[in-house]
Amino acid sequence: MNIILLLGLILILSVLSCKVTNKIGLPILVGFILIGILVEHLIGFGDLKAHAESLCNFALLFIIFTGGLQTDFKKAKSILGVSILLSALGTVLTAAAAAAFAYFVLNFELYAAILLGAVISCTDAASVFSILSTKKMNLKNNLGGVLEMESGSNDPTAYMLTIVFLSMATGVSQNVSILILMQILIGGGIGVGVGLLGRRMLNRLNLEIEELYAILLCGVALIIYGMSAAFGGNGFLAVYIGGMILGNSNIAHKRMLSRSFGAISMLMQVVLFIILGILFIPGTFRTFAVIGVLFALFLFFIARPLTVFLIMKPFGYKLNEIALVSWAGFRGASSIVFATYLLTQGLPYAETVFSIVFFVCMLSVILQGSLLAPLAKRFNLLEPLEKAENDSDTA
């Protein structure tokens, strides 16, 4: 089939699927995944796995950059401490708990268990941003901000854990402490430096065509990620920081840029989740159903709630708030992207880890994503949308 015609049909079907999934109460991401599965079944993309890592990273960097761009630092100040702890310490604790369960209960070999824990440890920015926005949820006590900041900033932690343990599993000798330090310092430094330079460019260049500013900002995001990766930094951390700097600065055409990147982020979500659907292995649900369900139940009901409770309780959060944040720890694209790293290394347990991660992420998006709004309502944690709009107008 003509590839251009095919892409057009896929995009239109993706948009139409949103009507169906919204009507039956499912997150729109489920529709994108199902379209990917359908496309693979009907047409087939045999060698996509070879390019999946690069394609997914490309889509994910724009989703995370947009998350940073749309983060209001003034509102985020009050939740900065708890969000940072959730994204850093929370991710490490979740990885440790998941790895221990896989090793001691599911009888995985050591490195398979550790890598499974590392890959699945982060909440997914694409899922969190998408579900909160499409469900039009305005959570009390800025819990939505906590979830968005956590998911937008914890990918770098999971990425570092995955890279460190993947190096150890493949026998690549590296100084772990130096690797982590380089990831943080170089990634953070490039994010700040290029973000400030991008701000200066946007304000100093007098472009006659307004839409060119959006293209310029796309270039800035790509340079931030590319430079960070080239110099050994963490590209996801870099684009999130760069996005936050630009989003919280007085830059030209800010409202237009915010709208444009909202559309770009949504397009990247469509691309990302369709790719994940294409990567779906039909036998996965049959082969790994029991292990996948056990692992998912442990993650949803023990590892995540315990971690969130330990971190949020000292900040004075109520149990209903902790319960909702625990339930909203969606696993999704980020974890599946990191699982593709194992596939490219050809590890003997890579297919098993990837399949279980895919299974858990699908279950998370469908089950947790569908029940988040009813739970928020039951816990009395929803604010009227009018109040959110009035607050933003006042600000």
Side-chain angles (χ1 to χ4, degrees):
M1 183 183 287
N2 185 311
I3 188 66
I4 295 176
L5 174 62
L6 175 62
L7 290 174
L9 288 172
I10 289 173
L11 289 177
I12 291 173
L13 282 174
S14 299
V15 174
L16 294 177
S17 74
C18 296
K19 295 287 290 183
V20 178
T21 51
N22 273 331
K23 186 167 286 189
I24 61 179
L26 288 173
I28 62 171
L29 306 178
V30 176
F32 303 155
I33 292 174
L34 292 175
I35 288 171
I37 294 172
L38 181 64
V39 168
E40 170 62 15
H41 177 71
L42 294 177
I43 299 168
F45 288 87
D47 60 345
L48 184 65
K49 280 185 182 178
H51 308 287
E53 181 180 331
S54 299
L55 291 170
C56 291
N57 282 346
F58 180 81
L60 197 56
L61 82 88
F62 278 105
I63 294 168
I64 293 174
F65 180 77
T66 304
L69 196 66
Q70 296 178 345
T71 298
D72 187 336
F73 197 69
K74 289 180 181 177
K75 292 181 180 178
K77 278 184 181 178
S78 61
I79 58 168
L80 192 61
V82 69
S83 299
I84 289 174
L85 281 175
L86 283 171
S87 68
L89 179 61
T91 303
V92 172
L93 291 176
T94 301
F101 183 80
Y103 182 71
F104 291 108
V105 178
L106 302 180
N107 295 319
F108 274 51
E109 62 176 272
L110 183 59
Y111 275 120
I114 291 173
L115 283 167
L116 177 60
V119 164
I120 205 70
S121 62
C122 60
T123 57
D124 181 51
S127 302
V128 170
F129 293 142
S130 175
I131 290 169
L132 288 179
S133 62
T134 56
K135 298 287 184 182
K136 302 188 186 304
M137 296 177 62
N138 179 36
L139 299 176
K140 291 181 179 179
N141 203 13
N142 206 6
L143 292 179
V146 172
L147 292 168
E148 288 178 352
M149 184 167 281
E150 177 202 9
S151 64
S153 60
N154 67 3
D155 285 348
T157 305
Y159 174 83
M160 283 187 283
L161 290 173
T162 303
I163 293 301
V164 166
F165 291 120
L166 190 57
S167 298
M168 295 169 67
T170 53
V172 178
S173 178
Q174 293 196 55
N175 187 309
V176 174
S177 57
I178 291 177
L179 177 64
I180 292 174
L181 196 62
M182 284 179 62
Q183 289 270 312
I184 295 172
L185 293 180
I186 295 174
I190 289 175
V192 171
V194 180
L196 292 173
L197 181 61
R199 181 180 70 182
R200 188 176 180 84
M201 288 174 63
L202 285 165
N203 288 332
R204 295 294 288 271
L205 285 175
N206 186 18
L207 299 174
E208 295 178 356
I209 303 172
E210 187 183 37
E211 288 75 15
L212 289 175
Y213 287 96
I215 297 173
L216 178 65
L217 200 53
C218 285
V220 170
L222 291 170
I223 287 172
I224 291 174
Y225 184 88
M227 280 186 66
S228 183
F231 289 103
N234 189 303
F236 296 123
L237 176 65
V239 293
Y240 186 74
I241 291 174
M244 279 190 69
I245 288 173
L246 287 160
N248 289 275
S249 302
N250 292 320
I251 55 175
H253 309 281
K254 189 172 182 178
R255 183 169 294 183
M256 180 276 294
L257 288 171
S258 180
R259 288 198 306 269
S260 297
F261 273 81
I264 290 170
S265 177
M266 178 55 70
L267 177 60
M268 290 300 114
Q269 289 176 43
V270 173
V271 170
L272 186 55
F273 281 89
I274 286 176
I275 290 173
L276 300 182
I278 290 171
L279 292 175
F280 171 73
I281 303 167
T284 297
F285 279 67
R286 292 192 301 271
T287 307
F288 299 102
V290 175
I291 294 176
V293 167
L294 287 174
F295 188 70
L297 290 175
F298 174 79
L299 198 65
F300 299 167
F301 294 102
I302 298 176
R304 169 73 176 177
L306 183 59
T307 297
V308 172
F309 178 83
L310 291 173
I311 291 172
M312 293 187 71
K313 190 61 178 173
F315 285 88
Y317 284 91
K318 298 175 184 177
L319 287 178
N320 62 335
E321 295 170 335
I322 293 172
L324 189 71
V325 172
S326 299
W327 187 253
F330 308 128
R331 314 292 146 166
S334 304
S335 294
I336 299 174
V337 169
F338 297 150
T340 62
Y341 297 176
L342 279 66
L343 293 174
T344 58
Q345 292 295 325
L347 295 171
Y349 43 77
E351 287 279 2
T352 300
V353 171
F354 179 85
S355 298
I356 291 174
V357 168
F358 195 101
F359 183 94
V360 171
C361 291
M362 282 284 288
L363 207 58
S364 176
V365 171
I366 294 171
L367 181 64
Q368 292 182 296
S370 301
L371 295 178
L372 183 64
L375 282 176
K377 187 175 181 180
R378 185 175 181 82
F379 291 155
N380 192 29
L381 290 174
L382 286 177
E383 291 273 25
L385 280 175
E386 292 80 5
K387 184 178 187 303
E389 290 166 1
N390 290 338
D391 289 345
S392 63
D393 291 341
T394 304

